[in-house]
Amino acid sequence: MANIANKKAICDLLLEKAKTDKDIVVLCSDSRGSASLAPFFEEFPQQSVETGIAEQDLVGISAGLAKCGKKPFAASPASFITTRSYEQCKVDVAYSNTNVTLIGISGGVSYGALGMSHHSAQDIAAMAAIPGMRVYFPSDHFQTTKLMEALLKDEKPSYVRVGRNAVPEIYSEDNCTFEIDKANILSEGKDVAIIACGEMVYEALEAAKALKEEGILATVVDMYCLKPLDEDTIIKVTKDVKAVITIEEHSPYGGLGSMVSQVVGENNPKLVVNMSLPDAPVITGTSSEVFDYYGLNKEGIVKKVKEIIK
Amino acid sequence: MGELEKLAYDLRKDTVDMIVSGKAGHIGGDMSVMEILVELYFDQMNISPENKDDPNRDLFVLSKGHSVESYYSVLAKKGFFDIKEAIDTFSKFGSKYIGHPNNKIPGIEMNSGSLGHGLPVGVGMALASKMDNRKNRVYVVMGDGELAEGSVWEGAMSASQYKLDNLCAVVDRNRLQISGTTEEVMGQDDLHDRFRSFGWNVIDVEDGNSIEQLKMAFDKAKSVVGKPTVLIANTVKGKGSSVMENNVSWHHHVPTEEEYSQIIKDFQIRKEVF
């Protein structure tokens, strides 16, 4: 099967579920094309809301719909839906406890050369700091589908970040273990724990394979659930390893690395190395060029692990 | 005749008592918005503790959330909770009656406080009613100073785009905000034209503290088809006592004992007119 973008998996699932669930409403801020949600707007115009380029309106309207029993899915570029409408996310969604699913599309550096205005390297930090807001970075389309199915079943606010591009598969149709808010341990090794989220999970897995050939055994965790953070799994996988690596498409501040460091520091004190984007506008390029430049890839992880595991 | 007018003054007293007890509150806006709330809750809206979960209930959002003290007084009178509890605990340590609306309190639909949030939320509510063919109405009350927030106009655009004739906004046009008059701070004397240019039906309420005039305006708004309505209610900040009226320093001020007795006396005199 060809690789599928996580955002497409979201649209496919919503298309299927909306056939029988008339309360599903999809909202876009002139972003239906980039969100791959145009088919939903065509198929279910009565369950679609266009707000124009007005992200505060997008999130406020979603909250109002949710208050009246609808199940709104608001999709807009991650950089805008999290920070342009941050206060609506905080007050209208989280504080008012409305059943809104915020979908940040083209997250992280998906927009590559478009520059820092279009990058969302602070969305974990921003959204996780809001009481009552859940934060998810699914790794592949199988997991994205499972996540969306789970979110449809509950009535709590959440933020889901997906990237723009098709991503390699981590799971398969028959093998996609999923329990909401429970991280997945993808491989177990005694030397190092690599904890990753989103698109970085695939790189972590590839790195673990390469390290194995060199006799270094790595545990790899898909920490798709950043909040609530699966602390039990972090404590479990970091207990006996020599060091911990975190890797994320996010700023060095307030993301996966910060969260894991807090938990490890309190429970299993040992070396934790955070791999992330820099605290600076990133270099111009496609997202894969950007990842390569900052070592956010298989080779970068292997190099880092070998540096810290003597 | 005059029952609601009288009620507005009784609820003004509850509101001032709450503010004195909690040693906090936005008293000026509480007083200006009182008749708007009273007319909505005791005449216009289909809402009560009995139907608070009925999807067909009318919906209300207090976008100018800092007027929460008058809102609490009105909701308590409607039977959503005990006014004594609200007065005794308002703003005090551990109280659920905090200084802005939150929907853990029965009768409150949405949390507010940060300005400019209510109209988009009201648009979402009105859209939900349209989608489900419900006949209920959605009311959003905003302050005039609040209208400087850009998100108000995002909401205004989408309300007319979606022809939300089930949405009625009210501007509590008391012409004062913390730093001075609205015209000095960020002028809006062409407010009617602004809303009209956004595709809204605009009704000017000459005296926004007149129950009779508000009733006529709300009734008229109900018959408008294909566009949202805004009532621009010309109110008096601090309405009810000459101690407070049109005095910018009463945006948030806790009356002294002396001021309190004068205010209560004034309320009584005004009430007797009706």
Side-chain angles (χ1 to χ4, degrees), chain A residues 23 25 46-51 54-57 60-61 63-65 67-68 70 87-88 91-92 95-96 98, chain B residues 57 59 98 102-103 109-112 114 116-117 120-121 123-125 127-128 131-132 134 151 154-155 158 162:
Chain A
D23 286 330
V25 180
Q46 302 307 316
Q47 289 170 253
S48 301
V49 178
E50 175 61 70
T51 67
E55 291 81 9
Q56 298 178 74
D57 207 25
I61 290 175
L65 285 163
K67 182 68 204 175
C68 296
K70 295 294 174 190
E87 212 185 48
Q88 279 75 16
V91 178
D92 306 345
Y95 187 31
S96 295
T98 48
Chain B
R57 72 189 183 278
L59 293 150
I98 62 178
N102 77 92
N103 58 11
E109 305 279 3
M110 287 296 289
N111 300 12
S112 59
S114 176
H117 284 236
V121 168
V123 168
M125 291 171 162
L127 271 172
M131 286 174 181
D132 291 345
R134 286 193 297 266
S151 51
E154 291 186 11
S158 47
Y162 289 101

Side-chain angles (χ1 to χ4, degrees), chain A residues 198 239 287:
Chain A
K239 187 159 181 288
S287 54

Side-chain angles (χ1 to χ4, degrees), chain B residues 165-221:
Chain B
D165 48 22
N166 54 346
L167 174 67
C168 180
V170 185
V171 176
D172 178 12
R173 184 79 173 104
N174 62 35
R175 293 184 169 267
L176 288 176
Q177 57 191 107
I178 296 180
S179 304
T181 70
T182 52
E183 298 320 288
E184 284 164 355
V185 176
M186 190 51 66
Q188 51 175 274
D189 250 348
D190 56 347
L191 191 53
H192 302 67
D193 290 341
R194 292 185 193 189
F195 271 105
R196 269 187 213 110
S197 75
F198 274 70
W200 284 61
N201 173 52
V202 179
I203 300 177
D204 186 81
V205 185
E206 193 184 347
D207 179 357
N209 293 113
S210 157
I211 293 282
E212 193 187 349
Q213 289 186 30
L214 286 165
K215 179 180 172 49
M216 276 172 60
F218 281 120
D219 286 346
K220 208 166 143 195

Side-chain angles (χ1 to χ4, degrees), chain B residues 3-270:
Chain B
E3 287 308 309
L4 293 188
E5 286 84 349
K6 285 195 177 89
L7 177 61
Y9 279 93
D10 291 341
L11 296 179
R12 277 192 170 89
K13 180 175 183 302
D14 288 346
T15 303
V16 173
D17 285 347
M18 204 178 301
I19 289 168
V20 168
S21 160
K23 300 188 179 65
H26 291 80
I27 193 164
D30 279 326
M31 298 300 116
S32 64
V33 81
M34 187 57 87
E35 279 80 10
I36 296 167
L37 297 181
V38 166
E39 172 58 20
L40 279 171
Y41 273 87
F42 295 92
D43 188 24
Q44 297 291 329
M45 290 201 302
N46 170 31
I47 180 73
S48 68
E50 291 69 40
N51 75 348
K52 69 181 169 56
D53 299 316
D54 181 346
N56 293 308
R57 72 189 183 278
D58 289 327
L59 293 150
F60 177 81
V61 180
L62 184 66
S63 194
K64 50 169 292 187
H66 52 284
S67 293
V68 73
E69 300 86 18
S70 48
Y71 192 21
Y72 287 151
S73 302
V74 166
L75 290 176
K77 190 70 188 175
K78 280 296 282 192
F80 282 101
F81 48 82
D82 178 24
I83 187 63
K84 190 173 179 307
E85 185 191 7
I87 290 175
D88 289 349
T89 70
F90 171 67
S91 220
K92 290 177 182 162
F93 180 74
S95 177
K96 59 181 178 179
Y97 297 96
I98 62 178
H100 287 101
N102 77 92
N103 58 11
K104 288 202 171 65
I105 302 278
I108 295 180
E109 305 279 3
M110 287 296 289
N111 300 12
S112 59
S114 176
L115 297 169
H117 284 236
L119 198 53
V121 168
V123 168
M125 291 171 162
L127 271 172
S129 291
K130 291 275 184 191
M131 286 174 181
D132 291 345
N133 294 314
R134 286 193 297 266
K135 298 292 167 222
N136 58 343
R137 291 181 67 74
V138 179
Y139 295 93
V140 177
V141 172
M142 297 181 284
D144 49 3
E146 174 179 4
L147 301 181
E149 293 281 7
S151 51
V152 170
W153 302 99
E154 291 186 11
M157 263 185 272
S158 47
S160 63
Q161 175 78 13
Y162 289 101
K163 304 181 170 46
L164 298 178
D165 48 22
N166 54 346
L167 174 67
C168 180
V170 185
V171 176
D172 178 12
R173 184 79 173 104
N174 62 35
R175 293 184 169 267
L176 288 176
Q177 57 191 107
I178 296 180
S179 304
T181 70
T182 52
E183 298 320 288
E184 284 164 355
V185 176
M186 190 51 66
Q188 51 175 274
D189 250 348
D190 56 347
L191 191 53
H192 302 67
D193 290 341
R194 292 185 193 189
F195 271 105
R196 269 187 213 110
S197 75
F198 274 70
W200 284 61
N201 173 52
V202 179
I203 300 177
D204 186 81
V205 185
E206 193 184 347
D207 179 357
N209 293 113
S210 157
I211 293 282
E212 193 187 349
Q213 289 186 30
L214 286 165
K215 179 180 172 49
M216 276 172 60
F218 281 120
D219 286 346
K220 208 166 143 195
K222 282 180 181 163
S223 64
V224 174
V225 177
K227 50 166 80 175
T229 291
V230 58
L231 269 53
I232 297 175
N234 296 288
T235 59
V236 172
K237 197 155 182 173
K239 176 79 179 181
S241 166
S242 55
V243 178
M244 304 183 282
E245 284 177 352
N246 287 320
N247 185 342
V248 75
S249 65
W250 282 77
H251 179 80
H252 42 52
H253 175 77
V254 180
T256 61
E257 253 178 66
E258 199 182 332
E259 287 165 342
Y260 177 82
S261 48
Q262 184 61 49
I263 287 167
I264 299 303
K265 221 177 281 170
D266 287 349
F267 286 173
Q268 196 53 41
I269 294 165
R270 300 275 181 104

